[in-house]
Structures are given as C-alpha cells and as structure tokens.
Amino acid sequence: MKSRYFRRLDPLIYLGILGVFLTLGWNIIGMEVQQASKVEVYVDGDLKHVYNLQMDQRFIDVDTNLGGIKLELKDNQVRVVTSNSPLKLIVKQGWAKYPGDTLIGIPDRAVVKIVGKGREDDVDFILR
C-alpha cells in the first residue's frame, strides 16, 4: 500500500526528470560540429608532418621505423594505403574523416590524426 506522501510528490519527481532531459536535449542541439581541416602525422610520438585536408587526391610518403607508410588525402578524408608492417592493421582501419579520428600503426610507430577547426580558446584540460 502506497502512502499519500509519495502520491503527492510523484508529479514533482516527473517534472524534475523531464526538466533534466529537456536541458540535456537543448545542450546537445546547441553543440557545434567541428569541420576537419588538418592531418597530423606522429612518428615515434613526435609530430613530424601537418597537412591540410583537400578535395583533390594526393599521396604522401612518410618515413617510419619499418620503411614508411603512404597516405592518401581525398574528399577531406585520409587513409593509409600501404604499410610495411606485417599485419597492415593501419591500412585496414580505412578512412578517417572526423576531427579526433585516428589511424594507429603499432609496429610502424605511426599515428595519423584528424584535427578540426576549433576556436583558439578551447581548452580540453589543464594538468598541473
């Protein structure tokens, strides 16, 4: 048997839950979608190359520990076409097209990362 106290508070609880979901939905709708603008290539953890994404097809060779990888830039996307690693996992990852997408080659020690056009004052975190 339910008490009267909970029956009176039920509409307030439902309104509170509805308010939380409306606030979350409003924030999601207002989020900006970043446009991919550049490709950063890291070898051995060091930033080696930065390329602008473009609509035209372009091939780029990058030297790594195992001999190198070949990048293809096309339609504002990037992928690794060839690699000298045994399993070629970085090639099998396919196209990267959104900011934050990464292609990682473990034996090559290579990371290809898409960077977006963001505001300059955006800070993810500060570590002290």
Side-chain angles (χ1 to χ4, degrees), residues 57-97:
Q57 187 175 22
R58 179 178 171 194
F59 292 97
I60 300 167
D61 292 320
V62 177
D63 291 330
T64 63
N65 294 341
L66 294 178
I69 58 175
K70 187 174 201 173
L71 300 175
E72 178 184 7
L73 288 94
K74 179 181 175 186
D75 297 331
N76 290 330
Q77 302 176 46
V78 66
R79 73 174 174 166
V80 177
V81 180
T82 61
S83 171
N84 291 328
S85 66
L87 297 177
K88 302 191 183 325
L89 295 177
I90 195 168
V91 176
K92 295 176 183 177
Q93 293 176 32
W95 291 97
K97 53 187 160 187

Side-chain angles (χ1 to χ4, degrees), residues 92-109:
K92 295 176 183 177
Q93 293 176 32
W95 291 97
K97 53 187 160 187
Y98 300 111
D101 285 353
T102 56
L103 305 173
I104 301 171
I106 301 295
D108 294 312
R109 296 183 183 179

Side-chain angles (χ1 to χ4, degrees), residues 3 8 11 13 18-19 31 34 37 47 52-53 71-72 83 91 100-101 106 113-114 124:
S3 73
R8 282 187 247 154
I13 293 171
L18 181 65
M31 289 176 57
Q34 287 188 355
S37 64
L47 179 63
N52 289 325
L53 285 175
L71 300 175
E72 178 184 7
S83 171
V91 176
D101 285 353
I106 301 295
K113 181 180 177 184
I114 300 287
D124 288 336

